Amino acid sequence: MDVSRRTFFYLVLSSLLVSFPESQRSYAAEKTSPSTSSPLVYEDTILPIFQARCLECHNTKNRKAEFDLSSPAALLKGGESGVGLVSGKPDESLLYEYLHDGQMPPEGSRPLEEKELQLIHNWIAQGMKFKHNPQATAEVQLSQHDVLPIFYRRCVMCHGPEYQEGGLDLRTKADMIKGGGAGTAVIEGKPDESLLIKYIEEKTCPPKAEISRAGIEPMTAEELTTVKDWIAQGLNVVNEEPLDFINDQDPLVTKEDRQFWSFQPPQQAEPPSVQHQSLVKNPIDAFLLRKLEANQLSYAPEADRRALIRRVTYVLTGLPPTPEEVQAFLADDKPQAYERLIDRLLESPRYAEKWGQFWLDLAGYADSEGKRSADLIRKYAWRYRDYVVRSFGEDKPYDVFLTEQLAGDELVDYGKPENATPETIEKLVATGFLRMAPDGTSANPVNRVSDRMEVITDEIDVLSRGLLGLTMNCARCHSHKYDPIPQRDYYRVVAIFKGAYDEYDWMTPQPFSNQWKRARSRLLTVIPQHEQAAIDEHNAPLEKQIGEIEEQLKDKKLEKDQKKSLEKQLKELKASLKTPPMIRALWDRGRPSPTYIYRRGDENQPTRLVEPGPPSAIADGISPYHIEPVQQTTLKTGRRLAFARWLTQPDHPLTSRVFVNRIWNKHFGTGIVESIDNFGALGTPPSHPELLDWLAVQFVKEGWSIKQLQRLIMTSQAYRQSSAVTPLHQKSDPENRLISRMPLRRLEAEELRDALIFTADQLDETQYGEPVDVELRPDGLVTSKRTSEGWRRSIYIRHRRKDMPTFLEVFDLPQMNPNCTERKNSNVVSQPLLLVNNRLVHDLADHFARRVRAEAGDDPRQRIERAYQLVFQRAPTSAETKLALNSIQLLETSAKDGTKSEPSLNGFTEYCHVLLNSAEFLYLD
């Protein structure tokens, strides 16, 4: 640097120092040249700051954000976000960044003084000097918890609960010392003489042929060093108790945190008195009218009967009412006609199919695995779909419904063949709820621990958002930024499912044939003895013939034609054998591996052990999570059953609130809590908190009956309103949060497709069973196949993730990644184009026209009236009839002149096609 530049630099620096306040001049000087001052020592200058300002939250017991500042070794280890200190680089050190930016101490606490920040900055910049070497201290602390996660990742699939190759089990120190057929696996203090180390270094373990199978991968150099150091240090074992809390109360979650409205049990207030008492059909109206009246509003006028029967029939069955049903309702002048209509529809088999789909969305139901391009078919997923449909049909209490899906396998002793009753099978099928997330772990190499953790993460996401209304997934990597959910809470929930979903003791979602024996499938066969006997009797002679042909095929002297004929016979015989019925279930095996908190969600960075437990913010006013032994033929942990019972307590703060809010959302188009899967700090507060709590408590009082809840909502005056919007509505309730009218809504994808088929009289109403396959056409469209009776309802079409039916997808059928908590309706140009051009819609228009001709005869006016009754559930006006007659005549003239591209479509068929494209058919008011 020349003299002039050097002079300029010092002048600028001097002016900056002069401009700083006195208190900051030394800090600025120190930051520019940290080496000029004497080295700062941690124990003398930094530790006192941490003791005074930080240790209350960041100590050995609490470890907020998994960061412990009570010792140099713990300080250097870091927390849930990673290493907190980078020697010589304060600006890259997370600890200094959080302190400097005011993120620590937390809001409400006094921030560090500028002088304290200066000292921490300079200590890091100078290289972080300690009186005693913390690295040496850290090395002494290696224990079984540093090596067991490595063995679980790399070794236990061959040397663990299912298999002990060579007689060796590597899950405990005692088992390692005991060793296997070759002798002890580890020798205390002598890693180089330990067979375990020799086999790994010689690459004998894992065998090359088995690498990448079932998640097997060799140890990394860093992992091997850790294992060797542990052996060298004497196989140290510490009796560190897993994190567990009295009454589920984590000290990181404060009393104030638990006072948040959604973490407190709901309280049922008395319905208020209102001015328009005549409009109060039930307590729902009292709560809604109080807010409306406070805003100088009231309900919109009641919808006419034709609009009401159309609305409630679509909402409860997913199909339109027939003209005969409409006429009967319009003619019913007895009291409670509307209530009787609701009761009739709630008992319809179609109700179960419509509302079963509501739950299947939440569960993330799909007939394929996803994740991989192969998108393997789930052959038996439909059994869970049928379980859901039947449960809604019989109005299974919601608490029972949840318990069966979360822990059905722990409710029944299916280990004995004599217990294989329909009731037992139903409970096992119910656990399919926990098997719906995308899962690509059926094939190698996508069956690593990280792939398995994705499946577990998705299932916890479905569970937390769907049932609890909480967004827990970010707590996989770090404590929740807004809600009181510490990272360790996330892994406590993971531990609840460890008996069945264990990333170190995995079962694949698909059966394997002629593949590696360690790939175990999560498909279960449970069959009554008499059925098994019948299958055995049927198969015995076939198996004998198969054995004989297989022996013949071993003859190398066979002629080519003979061999081909025998192979054909063999194939036919095998096809005639009876895959006893299989169940896609989740079941507890009673041998969970330890659950560690994973720093930043990385399974390669395990930290502390945790015990199973629910989110600790939900603890006030309810019984704590408690595991009771499950006495069955096969060993069970009882963890999920304990969780189900914790979740279905009558006064649980979230379970009933979240569910009634979902039901309300489906009926009114928006939830009382608009963010239906987020009842936390970033969620929207309830528009009518007293109403939400009243409904939640009432739901439980009435036996958790879903049908009764819907009856209550739909018989309110609020639900009977018209959808007319006035200037006053637009001004005082533009978003309809006060429920001053009913929202206009478009039919959902399944409703529209099913209504088209139903109106054309082409609906195959067969219930249950295997899904109807789809056809992938050369033009890229995916269509459902027709049965001999017509087309089945949309719920029974195969829902393959990569081949979703085009019609449904265009009209916003959601992708299940992993699930759908709320349907969204779009309005895009591809929708009318599909209705105009799609071959299925044209075929249905033709069937519809034929139906109308058959039912109305040759009179054009009667045809038009019948078509209107079937499509719109009303008669046409005189103007509409006149327009229709003119339009049909014009269309028929075009067809006769040959100007139509498809002359077979006559004018009346074209007119029927137009009606099926109309807004009145597509929308409900």
Side-chain angles (χ1 to χ4, degrees), residues 409-656:
D409 60 305
E410 295 185 319
L411 290 171
V412 292
D413 189 358
Y414 57 87
K416 297 178 180 178
E418 60 268 26
N419 291 344
T421 63
E423 292 76 16
T424 298
I425 293 171
E426 180 191 51
K427 300 294 187 297
L428 293 170
V429 169
T431 64
F433 173 74
L434 298 170
R435 296 288 321 284
M436 287 298 130
D439 188 346
T441 61
S442 284
N444 302 310
V446 286
N447 186 14
R448 298 174 293 259
V449 172
S450 57
D451 301 308
R452 300 165 183 177
M453 282 304 300
E454 284 187 17
V455 180
I456 295 170
T457 298
D458 281 344
E459 286 298 353
I460 289 178
D461 186 42
V462 170
L463 179 92
S464 60
R465 290 189 300 115
L467 306 188
L468 293 171
L470 295 176
T471 56
M472 287 189 64
N473 256 19
C474 61
R476 176 187 175 188
C477 298
H478 53 76
S479 293
H480 203 289
K481 298 294 186 185
Y482 304 101
D483 295 331
I485 305 174
Q487 188 190 24
R488 58 201 191 196
D489 265 7
Y490 183 87
Y491 288 94
R492 293 174 72 226
V493 174
V494 168
I496 290 173
F497 296 88
K498 218 39 174 314
Y501 263 133
D502 191 335
E503 66 268 37
Y504 300 121
D505 189 12
W506 195 249
M507 302 186 78
T508 64
Q510 293 281 335
F512 276 67
S513 81
N514 299 323
Q515 293 198 32
W516 195 48
K517 65 180 180 181
R518 291 184 185 82
R520 289 157 289 142
S521 165
R522 262 191 247 119
L523 293 173
L524 190 63
T525 301
V526 179
I527 185 170
Q529 284 181 311
H530 69 280
E531 290 187 25
Q532 185 63 58
I535 290 173
D536 291 342
E537 184 178 356
H538 171 86
N539 287 346
L542 297 175
E543 288 172 345
K544 182 179 179 182
Q545 293 179 59
I546 288 170
E548 292 171 351
I549 292 175
E550 286 176 338
E551 284 298 316
Q552 293 178 53
L553 285 169
K554 292 178 182 178
D555 187 353
K556 295 182 180 179
K557 297 180 180 179
L558 280 175
E559 297 289 337
K560 186 175 181 180
D561 290 344
Q562 289 179 303
K563 184 178 181 181
K564 190 173 181 180
S565 175
L566 286 171
E567 286 174 341
K568 182 181 178 182
Q569 292 179 51
L570 184 64
K571 185 176 180 181
E572 290 172 350
L573 286 168
K574 286 185 175 180
S576 299
L577 288 171
K578 289 185 179 178
T579 52
M582 302 190 83
I583 300 169
R584 186 180 178 86
L586 192 77
W587 66 94
D588 194 293
R589 291 178 289 163
R591 58 189 198 201
S593 65
T595 302
Y596 292 89
I597 299 169
Y598 293 153
R599 178 179 290 167
R600 292 188 172 184
D602 181 0
E603 70 277 1
N604 294 304
Q605 299 187 62
T607 57
R608 283 200 292 171
L609 277 172
V610 293
E611 285 289 316
S616 48
I618 310 167
D620 282 3
I622 60 172
S623 300
Y625 175 80
H626 175 66
I627 301 173
E628 294 182 355
V630 177
Q631 302 296 329
Q632 292 187 2
T633 304
T634 54
L635 190 62
K636 303 289 175 64
T637 65
R639 294 179 179 184
R640 281 180 292 119
L641 183 56
F643 178 70
R645 287 172 174 160
W646 172 85
L647 187 68
T648 55
Q649 296 177 72
D651 49 359
H652 192 283
L654 288 170
T655 308
S656 59

Side-chain angles (χ1 to χ4, degrees), residues 263-283:
F263 300 152
Q264 292 293 305
Q267 304 296 323
Q268 192 171 46
E270 283 295 317
S273 298
V274 294
Q275 298 172 23
H276 298 83
Q277 195 63 38
S278 61
L279 293 177
V280 177
K281 291 287 196 297
N282 65 42

Side-chain angles (χ1 to χ4, degrees), residues 375-390:
D375 195 26
L376 299 174
I377 294 294
R378 294 173 169 172
K379 288 184 64 176
Y380 309 102
W382 60 269
R383 296 186 192 277
Y384 172 70
R385 178 250 287 152
D386 286 357
Y387 162 82
V388 171
V389 172
R390 287 191 173 96

